[in-house]
mmCIF file of all heavy atoms in Angstrom:
data_model
loop_
_atom_site.group_PDB
_atom_site.id
_atom_site.type_symbol
_atom_site.label_atom_id
_atom_site.label_comp_id
_atom_site.label_asym_id
_atom_site.label_seq_id
_atom_site.Cartn_x
_atom_site.Cartn_y
_atom_site.Cartn_z
ATOM 1 N N ILE B 1702 60.437 13.701 58.828
ATOM 2 C CA ILE B 1702 61.782 14.142 59.275
ATOM 3 C C ILE B 1702 62.422 12.923 59.987
ATOM 4 O O ILE B 1702 63.647 12.667 59.717
ATOM 5 C CB ILE B 1702 61.660 15.354 60.151
ATOM 6 C CG1 ILE B 1702 61.222 16.533 59.399
ATOM 7 C CG2 ILE B 1702 62.987 15.642 60.719
ATOM 8 C CD1 ILE B 1702 60.738 17.743 60.103
ATOM 9 N N ALA B 1703 61.686 12.191 60.820
ATOM 10 C CA ALA B 1703 62.277 11.040 61.479
ATOM 11 C C ALA B 1703 62.714 9.972 60.417
ATOM 12 O O ALA B 1703 63.799 9.420 60.610
ATOM 13 C CB ALA B 1703 61.258 10.399 62.426
ATOM 14 N N LYS B 1704 61.876 9.869 59.446
ATOM 15 C CA LYS B 1704 62.228 8.846 58.409
ATOM 16 C C LYS B 1704 63.402 9.299 57.639
ATOM 17 O O LYS B 1704 64.308 8.454 57.307
ATOM 18 C CB LYS B 1704 61.037 8.641 57.425
ATOM 19 C CG LYS B 1704 61.201 7.653 56.340
ATOM 20 C CD LYS B 1704 61.291 6.200 56.713
ATOM 21 C CE LYS B 1704 61.413 5.400 55.552
ATOM 22 N NZ LYS B 1704 61.860 4.067 55.893
ATOM 23 N N GLY B 1705 63.491 10.510 57.337
ATOM 24 C CA GLY B 1705 64.683 11.140 56.566
ATOM 25 C C GLY B 1705 65.872 11.023 57.420
ATOM 26 O O GLY B 1705 66.965 10.616 56.804
ATOM 27 N N LEU B 1706 65.812 11.272 58.679
ATOM 28 C CA LEU B 1706 67.034 11.147 59.516
ATOM 29 C C LEU B 1706 67.525 9.774 59.650
ATOM 30 O O LEU B 1706 68.640 9.344 59.683
ATOM 31 C CB LEU B 1706 66.775 11.695 60.955
ATOM 32 C CG LEU B 1706 66.795 13.224 61.129
ATOM 33 C CD1 LEU B 1706 66.343 13.574 62.513
ATOM 34 C CD2 LEU B 1706 68.149 13.786 60.790
ATOM 35 N N ASP B 1707 66.556 8.779 59.729
ATOM 36 C CA ASP B 1707 66.843 7.357 59.758
ATOM 37 C C ASP B 1707 67.601 6.787 58.539
ATOM 38 O O ASP B 1707 68.614 6.179 58.610
ATOM 39 C CB ASP B 1707 65.494 6.620 60.013
ATOM 40 C CG ASP B 1707 65.812 5.140 60.358
ATOM 41 O OD1 ASP B 1707 66.959 4.813 60.772
ATOM 42 O OD2 ASP B 1707 64.848 4.338 60.254
ATOM 43 N N ASP B 1708 66.981 7.237 57.339
ATOM 44 C CA ASP B 1708 67.600 6.809 56.108
ATOM 45 C C ASP B 1708 68.767 7.664 55.684
ATOM 46 O O ASP B 1708 69.588 7.302 54.826
ATOM 47 C CB ASP B 1708 66.495 6.753 55.011
ATOM 48 C CG ASP B 1708 65.504 5.849 55.176
ATOM 49 O OD1 ASP B 1708 65.622 4.917 56.152
ATOM 50 O OD2 ASP B 1708 64.446 5.800 54.492
ATOM 51 N N GLN B 1709 68.796 8.905 56.188
ATOM 52 C CA GLN B 1709 69.721 9.951 55.802
ATOM 53 C C GLN B 1709 69.673 10.290 54.275
ATOM 54 O O GLN B 1709 70.660 10.743 53.673
ATOM 55 C CB GLN B 1709 71.191 9.559 56.162
ATOM 56 C CG GLN B 1709 71.266 9.408 57.682
ATOM 57 C CD GLN B 1709 72.418 9.998 58.272
ATOM 58 O OE1 GLN B 1709 73.540 9.929 57.822
ATOM 59 N NE2 GLN B 1709 72.229 10.780 59.407
ATOM 60 N N ILE B 1710 68.535 10.003 53.639
ATOM 61 C CA ILE B 1710 68.357 10.205 52.280
ATOM 62 C C ILE B 1710 66.870 10.436 52.026
ATOM 63 O O ILE B 1710 66.055 9.795 52.671
ATOM 64 C CB ILE B 1710 68.959 9.026 51.480
ATOM 65 C CG1 ILE B 1710 69.151 9.411 49.958
ATOM 66 C CG2 ILE B 1710 68.039 7.805 51.389
ATOM 67 C CD1 ILE B 1710 70.177 8.533 49.317
ATOM 68 N N ILE B 1711 66.497 11.315 51.162
ATOM 69 C CA ILE B 1711 65.080 11.644 50.909
ATOM 70 C C ILE B 1711 64.807 11.737 49.378
ATOM 71 O O ILE B 1711 65.749 12.038 48.559
ATOM 72 C CB ILE B 1711 64.611 13.006 51.602
ATOM 73 C CG1 ILE B 1711 65.545 14.183 51.129
ATOM 74 C CG2 ILE B 1711 64.505 12.900 53.012
ATOM 75 C CD1 ILE B 1711 65.081 15.465 51.566
ATOM 76 N N ASN B 1712 63.616 11.427 49.106
ATOM 77 C CA ASN B 1712 63.170 11.517 47.615
ATOM 78 C C ASN B 1712 61.655 11.798 47.653
ATOM 79 O O ASN B 1712 60.995 11.679 48.596
ATOM 80 C CB ASN B 1712 63.439 10.203 46.856
ATOM 81 C CG ASN B 1712 62.779 9.045 47.432
ATOM 82 O OD1 ASN B 1712 61.527 8.947 47.467
ATOM 83 N ND2 ASN B 1712 63.403 8.079 47.790
ATOM 84 N N PRO B 1713 61.117 12.338 46.460
ATOM 85 C CA PRO B 1713 59.750 12.863 46.512
ATOM 86 C C PRO B 1713 58.766 11.826 46.768
ATOM 87 O O PRO B 1713 57.614 12.136 47.180
ATOM 88 C CB PRO B 1713 59.605 13.438 45.178
ATOM 89 C CG PRO B 1713 60.966 13.731 44.602
ATOM 90 C CD PRO B 1713 61.883 12.717 45.251
ATOM 91 N N THR B 1714 59.062 10.491 46.564
ATOM 92 C CA THR B 1714 58.091 9.460 46.871
ATOM 93 C C THR B 1714 58.133 8.845 48.227
ATOM 94 O O THR B 1714 57.506 7.902 48.514
ATOM 95 C CB THR B 1714 58.263 8.277 45.824
ATOM 96 O OG1 THR B 1714 59.559 7.846 45.840
ATOM 97 C CG2 THR B 1714 57.876 8.759 44.397
ATOM 98 N N ILE B 1715 58.916 9.522 49.040
ATOM 99 C CA ILE B 1715 59.093 8.964 50.358
ATOM 100 C C ILE B 1715 57.858 8.846 51.176
ATOM 101 O O ILE B 1715 57.532 7.975 51.955
ATOM 102 C CB ILE B 1715 60.183 9.836 51.199
ATOM 103 C CG1 ILE B 1715 60.514 9.359 52.590
ATOM 104 C CG2 ILE B 1715 59.674 11.329 51.432
ATOM 105 C CD1 ILE B 1715 61.586 10.018 53.365
ATOM 106 N N GLY B 1716 56.926 9.826 50.823
ATOM 107 C CA GLY B 1716 55.656 9.907 51.560
ATOM 108 C C GLY B 1716 54.660 8.934 51.063
ATOM 109 O O GLY B 1716 53.869 8.397 51.809
#
Side-chain angles (χ1 to χ4, degrees):
Chain B
I1702 293 164
K1704 178 74 179 160
L1706 281 175
D1707 189 18
D1708 296 348
Q1709 301 225 312
I1710 201 159
I1711 53 172
N1712 61 60
T1714 54
I1715 186 175

